[in-house]
Amino acid sequence: CRVMDEPTIRQLDLRRTKCPLNFVKAKLALEKLAPGQGLEIWLALEGESALNVPNSLRQEGHTVEELDVEDYKQILVFKKA
């Protein structure tokens, strides 16, 4: 069981969203946050999104604070740049 220690972290489930829409939704969600706030993104383990979404968000300047795999999903916590 994972415990989020910061109340500013929001969750976004993109497991059923296909590329490139999952990146667009993640980017828009991060844009709504204040700098330093976090967003927990759930991605399906299979497919290109497991690699493309994290890489694209890093290129946008956001940092991965945490990466975990559980219950057949990849969980990434990004901190807004």
Side-chain angles (χ1 to χ4, degrees):
C1 179
R2 295 160 9 99
V3 176
M4 304 313 275
D5 57 354
E6 293 187 36
T8 59
I9 294 181
R10 298 186 182 161
Q11 291 182 338
L12 181 62
D13 186 352
L14 297 175
R15 290 176 289 176
R16 295 182 183 205
T17 308
K18 304 228 183 257
C19 282
L21 190 56
N22 51 14
F23 166 69
V24 173
K25 286 185 175 187
K27 182 178 175 179
L28 291 174
L30 280 164
E31 286 177 359
K32 293 179 183 178
L33 302 179
Q37 282 187 310
L39 176 67
E40 181 177 292
I41 301 172
W42 297 3
L43 296 170
L45 289 175
E46 70 280 347
E48 295 177 0
S49 63
L51 295 174
N52 291 345
V53 172
N55 289 339
S56 296
L57 291 174
R58 283 187 195 103
Q59 289 175 358
E60 295 279 322
H62 307 294
T63 56
V64 177
E65 295 290 309
E66 184 179 340
L67 170 64
D68 196 7
V69 176
E70 67 180 45
D71 299 329
Y72 304 101
K73 64 182 176 277
Q74 179 181 15
I75 302 171
L76 299 117
V77 177
F78 277 89
K79 186 172 277 188
K80 182 176 179 174

